C-alpha cells in the first residue's frame, strides 16, 4: 500500500506541475552547446515561455507529455516513496529515535536509484514529447512521436529493449541526488517543525512547511543533473542507438560546462523551481496526508 500511496500522491502533484515541466524542458534545451549570445532565444524566462508556448502551440502544448508524466510519476515515485516509507517505518533512518542525516540521505538515494531505473523508459518518452513543438519555437532535437505508445514501440523497434533505457546513466544520479536531498530534508524538517511546536501536533501544515524547506534544497542540488538528464534523453542517436552529441553523463556534464559555463548547468533554474518546488511540496504533502489517513483506518 505504501507504493500505491506514493504513486497516487505524485500523480496528484503532476496534474498541476506538468506545464511547468514542459517549460523547464524547453528552457534546458535552448542554446544547447552554444555560448550565450550566439543562439536565438525563444524563451526569455518562465513567464515568457508560458506565453510563447500557449500562443504558438496552444494550451494543449502546455500539457504535452501528461500521460507518460502520470505513468512515470506513479511508478517511479510509487517505488521511491514506497521504498522510503518502508525503510522509515522499520526505523532504519533513526538513531536514538531522532532522524539521522546520514541514514536518511543514504536511504533516500537508494530509493531514488530503484525508482529511476524502473521509470527511465517512460521518462525518455516524456522528454521527447515535451520537447516537440512548432518549428518556429523548436529547441533541441525534434522527434516525431504521435503519443506515448507510438514512441515506446518506435524506440523498441529501432533500438531494441536496451534502447528504452537510453539516458538511464543520467537518470540514476539525477534521481538519487534529488531523492536523497528531498527525503532527508523532508524528514529532518518535519521533525524540526514539530519540535518548534509552531503548529498543532499532527497538523497538515507541518508536512507543508517541511515540503517547502525541502523544495529549495532539492532544486539547488538537482538542477545540474536535471539539465544533463534532459539533454541526454533528448539527443539524436545513430542507427545503433548511440548518442550523437554526448557519449554519456560525464561527457554531457563536461561539454555543457565547457561550452556554456556554470550557468549552462543551471539553465532554466527559475523554471526548475516553479516545477520541482510545487511538485515537491504537493507530492510530499499528499503523500504524508494519504499515509496518515490510511494508517488511521488500519
Amino acid at each position: 500500500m505504501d507504493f500505491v500511496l506514493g504513486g497516487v500522491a505524485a500523480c496528484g502533484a503532476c496534474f498541476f506541475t506538468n506545464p511547468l515541466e514542459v517549460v523547464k524542458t524547453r528552457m534546458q534545451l535552448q542554446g544547447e552547446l552554444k555560448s550565450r549570445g550566439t543562439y536565438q532565444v525563444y524563451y526569455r524566462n518562465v513567464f515568457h515561455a508560458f506565453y510563447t508556448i500557449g500562443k504558438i502551440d496552444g494550451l494543449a502544448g502546455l500539457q504535452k507529455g501528461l500521460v507518460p508524466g502520470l505513468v512515470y510519476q506513479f511508478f517511479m515515485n510509487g517505488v521511491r516513496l514506497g521504498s522510503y516509507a518502508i525503510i522509515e517505518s522499520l526505523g532504519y533512518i533513526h538513531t536514538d529515535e531522532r532522524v539521522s542525516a546520514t541514514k536518511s540521505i543514504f536511504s533516500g538515494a537508494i530509493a531514488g536509484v530503484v525508482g529511476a531505473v524502473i521509470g527511465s523508459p517512460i521518462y525518455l518518452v516524456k522528454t521527447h514529447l515535451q520537447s516537440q513543438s512548432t518549428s518556429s519555437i523548436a529547441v533541441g532535437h525534434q522527434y516525431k512521436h504521435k503519443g506515448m505508445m507510438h514512441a515506446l514501440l518506435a524506440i523498441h523497434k529501432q533500438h531494441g529493449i536496451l534502447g528504452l533505457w537510453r539516458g538511464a546513466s543520467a537518470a540514476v544520479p539525477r534521481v538519487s541526488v534529488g531523492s536523497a536531498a528531498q527525503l532527508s530534508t523532508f524528514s529532518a524538517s518535519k521533525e524540526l517543525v514539530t519540535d518548534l511546536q509552531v503548529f498543532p501536533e499532527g497538523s497538515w501544515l507541518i508536512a507543508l512547511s517541511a515540503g517547502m524547506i525541502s523544495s529549495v534544497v532539492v532544486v539547488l542540488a538537482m538542477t545540474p543533473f536535471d539539465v544533463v538528464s534532459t539533454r541526454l534523453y533528448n539527443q539524436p542517436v545513430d542507427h545503433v542507438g548511440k548518442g550523437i552529441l554526448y557519449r554519456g553523463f560525464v561527457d554531457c556534464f563536461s561539454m555543457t560546462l565547457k561550452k556554456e559555463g556554470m550557468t549552462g548547468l543551471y539553465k532554466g533554474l527559475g523554471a526548475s523551481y516553479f516545477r520541482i518546488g510545487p511538485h515537491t511540496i504537493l507530492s510530499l504533502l499528499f503523500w504524508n496526508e494519504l499515509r496518515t489517513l490510511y494508517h488511521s483506518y488500519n
Side-chain angles (χ1 to χ4, degrees):
M1 198 62 192
D2 280 318
F3 291 95
V4 175
L5 294 177
V8 170
C11 286
C14 184
F15 272 113
F16 297 99
T17 61
N18 190 66
L20 293 160
E21 178 76 5
V22 174
V23 168
K24 175 184 72 69
T25 297
R26 302 278 182 90
M27 293 188 74
Q28 289 176 341
L29 291 172
Q30 182 172 247
E32 186 173 10
L33 298 182
K34 295 179 181 177
S35 302
R36 183 185 293 270
T38 63
Y39 58 89
Q40 176 69 45
V41 177
Y42 298 114
Y43 312 110
R44 294 196 295 270
N45 52 54
V46 179
F47 305 105
H48 181 255
F50 256 103
Y51 172 76
T52 302
I53 295 170
K55 179 182 178 182
I56 297 178
D57 284 346
L59 292 179
L62 289 166
Q63 282 289 15
K64 283 191 173 182
L66 178 61
V67 173
L70 291 170
V71 174
Y72 172 75
Q73 291 297 333
F74 184 81
F75 284 101
M76 190 281 284
N77 274 313
V79 170
R80 186 177 70 87
L81 296 178
S83 298
Y84 188 80
I86 292 172
I87 294 170
E88 183 182 37
S89 65
L90 293 174
Y92 290 144
I93 70 166
H94 294 89
T95 299
D96 298 327
E97 298 184 356
R98 301 291 295 180
V99 173
S100 165
T102 302
K103 290 180 179 179
S104 60
I105 289 171
F106 181 74
S107 298
I110 292 298
V113 168
V114 176
V117 172
I118 290 175
S120 187
I122 303 300
Y123 194 90
L124 171 68
V125 170
K126 179 184 72 69
T127 303
H128 288 183
L129 291 174
Q130 290 177 335
S131 66
Q132 286 180 195
S133 64
T134 305
S135 59
S136 61
I137 57 169
V139 291
H141 184 71
Q142 295 290 293
Y143 289 89
K144 303 297 181 183
H145 302 312
K146 297 176 182 177
M148 184 179 75
M149 292 307 299
H150 175 266
L152 288 170
L153 292 172
I155 295 169
H156 180 267
K157 182 179 179 181
Q158 188 172 3
H159 303 299
I161 191 71
L162 292 180
L164 292 170
W165 267 268
R166 178 170 57 83
S169 63
V172 170
R174 171 187 176 272
V175 179
S176 61
V177 168
S179 183
Q182 182 192 69
L183 295 175
S184 62
T185 54
F186 180 67
S187 295
S189 298
K190 193 165 63 168
E191 187 176 72
L192 174 63
V193 174
T194 301
D195 289 345
L196 292 174
Q197 298 181 344
V198 178
F199 306 110
E201 185 177 350
S203 171
W204 62 273
L205 291 170
I206 294 175
L208 178 65
S209 301
M212 292 174 71
I213 296 169
S214 177
S215 68
V216 176
V217 178
V218 170
V219 172
L220 292 176
M222 192 176 178
T223 295
F225 298 91
D226 199 38
V227 170
V228 171
S229 180
T230 297
R231 293 183 174 188
L232 280 176
Y233 274 115
N234 194 69
Q235 72 169 326
V237 296
D238 60 20
H239 66 285
V240 295
K242 184 179 179 181
I244 293 174
L245 298 179
Y246 315 106
R247 294 191 299 274
F249 177 83
V250 174
D251 186 48
C252 182
F253 194 99
S254 61
M255 285 184 68
T256 300
L257 186 62
K258 180 180 179 181
K259 296 282 187 178
E260 303 172 57
M262 184 59 72
T263 55
L265 290 171
Y266 276 93
K267 188 166 282 185
L269 179 62
S272 291
Y273 183 77
F274 279 117
R275 183 272 171 193
I276 297 173
H279 190 277
T280 294
I281 295 167
L282 290 172
S283 61
L284 292 179
L285 174 62
F286 292 161
W287 178 52
N288 188 79
E289 293 306 299
L290 285 170
R291 289 176 68 199
T292 301
L293 183 64
Y294 173 71
H295 291 300
S296 68
Y297 284 99
N298 290 274

